[in-house]
Amino acid sequence: MMNLKSLFLSIIAASQVYANIDEFDPTKMKLSKLSLGYPFIDDGFHIKDWDYGGNAVVEAFAGVHLTTDLPSHKGWLWSTRHLPNDSWIVDFDFKIGSLNKDRFFGDGLAFWATTERANAGPVFGSKNFFNGLGIFFDTYRNGNHNRPMPLVVGMKGDGKTSYDFSADGLGSSFASSDSLEYRQTEGPVKARITYVKGKHLSVKLKKDSEFVECFSVNDFTLPENLYLGLSAVTGQLSDFHTITYIKTRNITEEEAKQILTPVPQFAAHSSTSLNSNFWPTFIKLVIVCSIIGAALYAYKAYNKKKYRRL
């Protein structure tokens, strides 16, 4: 029988999952066979259009635990359908952390868009020498480098190049970022991977209410017929790595134009400069005028009272 603590945790997890249901909007060109949300599993404890394995565990109210908070675990979740060949956006919510906040932790999870699927291996629980895209959310420094953790690292695999284990993937990466914290957060973190064939790839994380870019590259081409995957691994140190939501959709022509159109830097600086200079100056002016007005009023009241006494 489920105890009260487990029930309480399940209710909290369910509330976080339910918060994403409205985002399954058919008007946003959602690809339902490449998306995943509550209740995650069907009556036969399967996930339609997806496979999972290794140490991955599916919980109807919480999502897919790629690993639980135990050492030496690895798990994966893979689509059985291909991503579109031209362009796509994948939003996925994940949570990495531990109930024991006073110990060391590791290791991280990976997003995959590769020509092969469901092959366990040493790269965040999936195979090395992959063909396609790997985005690594690395929480523990295993390699020899001085970059702060956690990291977001992008690698484009050609089937022949190894992941750089000596430097946590940095030597084999096309881009990386250490600007945002995504471990041990209060709620799930939302990631957005955007791809426009031959033209653009970007990785963003949502901070507060807006997406913040980790990195983006232009003139970027991936192979066709890619499967969507997520995997995670723990070593001697551990964390839970949980996926609570996946939404994949096409990109409209209008969106593609916006993505590929650079923002004029001079316009942004001009607007920022105007706002940053005008409002502080205006506020200071209001304060000075208020002080002067109050002083004049006090002076007049004092003189009026003085004359009455004479």
Side-chain angles (χ1 to χ4, degrees):
M1 181 180 292
M2 182 181 292
N3 59 37
L4 290 177
K5 182 178 179 181
S6 299
L7 180 60
F8 180 69
L9 292 174
S10 296
I11 291 171
I12 293 175
S15 65
Q16 293 173 344
V17 170
Y18 275 118
N20 285 317
I21 290 177
D22 291 339
E23 296 190 36
F24 280 86
D25 184 356
T27 64
K28 293 294 187 179
M29 305 177 70
K30 184 197 68 167
L31 300 171
S32 59
K33 295 183 184 301
L34 290 163
S35 300
L36 183 64
Y38 175 85
F40 301 103
I41 53 177
D42 58 27
D43 294 337
F45 292 95
H46 300 106
I47 307 178
K48 186 178 180 182
D49 302 312
W50 297 83
D51 287 332
Y52 65 96
N55 299 113
V57 177
V58 183
E59 188 177 350
F61 287 106
V64 181
H65 305 293
L66 297 174
T67 74
T68 53
D69 193 0
L70 292 171
S72 303
H73 275 204
K74 61 179 66 173
W76 46 259
L77 172 71
W78 283 90
S79 70
T80 59
R81 309 278 181 151
H82 290 126
L83 286 160
N85 286 327
D86 50 357
S87 62
W88 40 263
I89 292 177
V90 177
D91 287 339
F92 68 95
D93 291 7
F94 66 93
K95 194 164 175 57
I96 302 175
S98 174
L99 296 178
N100 185 352
K101 300 179 182 180
D102 299 324
R103 61 166 176 75
F104 291 107
F105 50 83
D107 275 299
L109 65 82
F111 167 93
W112 303 99
T114 58
T115 56
E116 296 180 81
R117 60 184 294 278
N119 291 316
V123 183
F124 293 89
S126 194
K127 68 167 289 185
N128 196 8
F129 301 103
F130 60 89
N131 189 15
L133 175 67
I135 305 294
F136 311 120
F137 297 83
D138 195 340
T139 58
Y140 184 77
R141 184 185 292 107
N142 291 293
N144 183 22
H145 61 88
N146 59 1
R147 292 285 294 277
M149 305 300 288
L151 282 171
V152 181
V153 179
M155 178 179 172
K156 182 178 173 182
D158 57 8
K160 302 175 183 178
T161 303
S162 173
Y163 172 82
D164 180 16
F165 293 98
S166 66
D168 289 326
L170 293 171
S172 53
S173 70
F174 60 81
S176 63
S177 172
D178 53 36
S179 58
L180 290 175
E181 178 65 60
Y182 53 77
R183 183 190 174 273
Q184 205 71 21
T185 56
E186 184 176 347
V189 176
K190 184 180 289 292
R192 171 168 290 178
I193 318 295
T194 302
Y195 173 67
V196 180
K197 184 178 181 180
K199 298 179 179 179
H200 179 84
L201 176 87
S202 67
V203 177
K204 299 179 181 180
L205 291 176
K206 200 167 193 176
K207 183 179 181 181
D208 299 326
S209 59
E210 294 186 0
F211 279 102
V212 177
E213 186 170 85
C214 295
F215 52 79
S216 65
V217 291
N218 294 324
D219 303 319
F220 194 88
T221 302
L222 291 170
E224 296 188 345
N225 300 324
L226 301 174
Y227 294 100
L228 168 59
L230 291 150
S231 66
V233 67
T234 64
Q236 292 181 344
L237 308 175
S238 65
D239 259 338
F240 60 79
H241 301 84
T242 301
I243 304 300
T244 62
Y245 172 70
I246 303 172
K247 176 182 175 181
T248 304
R249 64 180 180 88
N250 292 111
I251 298 176
T252 64
E253 291 184 8
E254 182 179 349
E255 283 180 312
K257 289 179 182 178
Q258 292 176 350
I259 291 168
L260 299 173
T261 302
V263 177
Q265 295 300 312
F266 68 88
H269 289 305
S270 174
S271 174
T272 302
S273 176
L274 176 63
N275 289 333
S276 61
N277 291 331
F278 173 76
W279 287 111
T281 303
F282 177 78
I283 291 170
K284 289 177 182 178
L285 183 60
V286 169
I287 293 172
V288 170
C289 290
S290 300
I291 293 172
I292 292 172
L296 287 173
Y297 178 83
Y299 178 75
K300 288 180 180 181
Y302 172 79
N303 283 337
K304 188 175 180 180
K305 187 175 182 180
K306 181 180 179 182
Y307 289 138
R308 284 179 179 175
R309 289 179 179 176
L310 295 176

